Amino acid sequence: MTAALGALLASGGAATAGSTATTTSTATAGATAAGSGTAAPPSYLSLEASYGSGTVTNGWERVERYRDTTPGFQTAGAEGYPPDGRGNQDGVRVTYFGGVARPTSDRFLLYSAPGWNTGAKTTPVLLVHGANDSADRAWANPGESGGYGCGALSCPSTGMMQYLAARGHRVFAIGFAHKQGDNLMQAQAVGDAVALIRAKLGVARVDLVGWSKGELSARAYVSSLKPAWGRAYAGDVRKLITLGGPNGGFDYPYAHGWAHDFSIWPECGGKINAPSPHSRMTCYGTYTAHPEFSMTPSGGYDDYPGQRQMLARWDGVYGVDQAAQDWYTTYYGGQGFYTAGDGIQPAIDAGSLVVPLQRAGVPASVTTYLLAGGSPDVVGIFNENRGPSDGVVFVSSALDTTGVATVGGKATVTGANHLELGWDSASQAQVATWLG
């Protein structure tokens, strides 16, 4: 889900792209500039900037920034960010978002891999990254954030994008504005990206590969689970492939809250962009409150909506980690010795999407494949140890087919942990096999 531990789990105006980018006001013009557009994309999508040679890194050919001008998106898109900057866009993504570190969620990036318009495979592929991540680190350069960022001691410099492109797939990826954003809004952006790819290539359908939290937004799109102002599924996806997706939800932050919080709470030295199951915690003798890191809306903050949308209780299946400090009050709510919080159920009630997605169902026309990691050995975190897992998500959750009408296949990569699923060789080979 992230480049390190975050895997656990200013608004953007029409910024000037600068000398390294070309800008235009409409998506139609962008398709023409690409040289292979065969249809006009939706009128509600505006191309704000296009970055190519000299700016684009990590092996991509081009990155474009689009804005969805749907009125409801304009109102809902101003999602909250942690005030200390840990949730800001970083690296080259700040350039892609026009120099805006906290872009609004009506904006997204569309990455194009080499061979996006020349690959021999008929159906193009859209890669959807997870929480606190980017399309660059997730799919193109797992080592971009340095050691441990890919879940292992050393990280490769190429990933799923290069693997698929080398085999003739026409590969694209989406980049979200908010690293922990609302999955219903991100699902709308996924639909936008699919519409753009179809317009560029003149194809009827696209394949989706969603990793971790990205699985929720991809699945929400094909299931027509949407905001009141959103657009329903357009019938334009052939296959949905999920990698370590919490199809049955996860409860890691609550089951292992004490270990989890040390990486978050600033008074304890934490800096990770992830939500806390607690509202208050004692660090080095100081009892403090941080509503900005809450899993649920608190104190005027709601910076992590996408995380609570993945929650589900697993205490009835695997119990709770009773070796953790304040384990009972962390999971079930109340005042513990060092911490206080509401517990997991109020967070689920505040907007988990796990059950709504299962009830909405994946259409029978979308063949779905589910891949799990079987190695709970993510470097640098306290790994999920209550049952078979990839270190973050239970295998039984990743392979949960509740609500999936057409299951094309299920598999477990026993040697891959949660952060390795996007670049492990066995994982890549399985994805390529399923894509066909």
Side-chain angles (χ1 to χ4, degrees), residues 221-267:
Y221 170 61
V222 300
S223 299
S224 287
L225 198 65
K226 59 186 180 62
W229 48 264
R231 288 174 294 276
Y233 172 53
D236 48 13
V237 172
R238 183 184 68 143
K239 295 179 178 181
L240 169 64
I241 299 176
T242 71
L243 310 182
N247 289 288
F250 86 137
D251 62 357
Y252 177 98
Y254 287 88
H256 307 286
W258 180 251
H260 186 56
D261 266 8
F262 274 97
S263 64
I264 298 170
W265 227 255
E267 286 79 9

Side-chain angles (χ1 to χ4, degrees), residues 2-18:
T2 82
L5 176 63
L8 301 176
L9 335 167
S11 66
T16 301

Side-chain angles (χ1 to χ4, degrees), residues 420-433:
E420 293 171 334
L421 282 170
W423 58 268
D424 178 85
S425 59
S427 177
Q428 292 176 333
Q430 183 64 76
V431 170
T433 297

Side-chain angles (χ1 to χ4, degrees), residues 103-389:
T104 51
S105 295
D106 56 337
R107 290 175 166 83
F108 65 93
L109 306 176
L110 183 64
Y111 290 69
S112 302
W116 66 269
N117 59 346
T118 59
K121 299 290 185 178
T122 302
T123 306
V125 181
L126 176 65
L127 306 175
V128 186
H129 69 80
N132 200 30
D133 213 344
S134 70
D136 288 294
R137 196 222 62 84
W139 306 117
N141 183 4
E144 188 195 54
S145 58
Y148 306 105
C150 66
L153 290 173
S154 61
C155 307
S157 58
T158 59
M160 185 74 73
M161 177 270 280
Q162 291 90 342
Y163 184 90
L164 295 179
R167 286 156 179 78
H169 291 278
R170 295 180 285 178
V171 182
F172 299 82
I174 191 169
F176 296 118
H178 194 294
K179 295 180 180 180
Q180 298 277 10
D182 186 310
N183 286 291
L184 297 184
M185 284 196 282
Q186 292 186 348
Q188 292 293 295
V190 169
D192 290 345
V194 170
L196 289 168
I197 294 168
R198 292 178 59 208
K200 289 174 182 290
L201 298 178
V203 297
R205 294 190 293 173
V206 173
D207 290 335
L208 296 179
V209 178
W211 187 3
S212 193
K213 178 179 178 294
E215 173 265 327
L216 259 76
S217 57
R219 181 168 174 170
Y221 170 61
V222 300
S223 299
S224 287
L225 198 65
K226 59 186 180 62
W229 48 264
R231 288 174 294 276
Y233 172 53
D236 48 13
V237 172
R238 183 184 68 143
K239 295 179 178 181
L240 169 64
I241 299 176
T242 71
L243 310 182
N247 289 288
F250 86 137
D251 62 357
Y252 177 98
Y254 287 88
H256 307 286
W258 180 251
H260 186 56
D261 266 8
F262 274 97
S263 64
I264 298 170
W265 227 255
E267 286 79 9
C268 293
K271 299 179 180 179
I272 294 297
N273 179 39
S276 169
H278 299 119
S279 57
R280 292 178 178 271
M281 182 174 180
T282 298
C283 290
Y284 299 106
T286 302
Y287 191 55
T288 57
H290 280 289
E292 68 272 29
F293 302 135
S294 176
M295 186 77 75
T296 57
S298 178
Y301 294 98
D302 187 13
D303 301 332
Y304 299 95
Q307 285 285 333
R308 67 173 172 272
Q309 290 172 335
M310 296 187 287
L311 293 175
R313 291 178 61 163
W314 285 85
D315 55 320
V317 180
Y318 294 122
V320 180
D321 180 11
Q322 296 187 24
Q325 180 69 45
D326 293 353
W327 67 271
Y328 188 90
T329 53
T330 296
Y331 203 95
Y332 299 107
Q335 176 68 57
F337 190 77
Y338 289 103
T339 60
D342 294 332
I344 190 172
Q345 192 58 52
I348 291 173
D349 295 341
S352 172
L353 295 180
V354 176
V355 172
L357 278 170
Q358 292 176 341
R359 289 175 176 169
V362 177
S365 60
V366 180
T367 305
T368 303
Y369 303 81
L370 304 96
L371 188 67
S375 182
D377 63 352
V378 182
V379 176
I381 72 168
F382 187 93
N383 282 269
E384 178 57 79
N385 58 8
R386 294 173 292 155
S389 80

Side-chain angles (χ1 to χ4, degrees), residues 381-416:
I381 72 168
F382 187 93
N383 282 269
E384 178 57 79
N385 58 8
R386 294 173 292 155
S389 80
D390 61 10
V392 180
V393 176
F394 290 120
V395 171
S396 50
S397 176
L399 300 183
D400 189 335
T401 57
T402 305
V404 179
T406 306
V407 178
K410 298 194 295 182
T412 300
V413 180
T414 57

Side-chain angles (χ1 to χ4, degrees), residues 44 67-75 106 188 192 229-231:
Y44 50 80
R67 184 186 188 201
D68 187 325
T69 61
T70 304
F73 222 149
Q74 303 303 296
T75 302
D106 56 337
Q188 292 293 295
D192 290 345
W229 48 264
R231 288 174 294 276

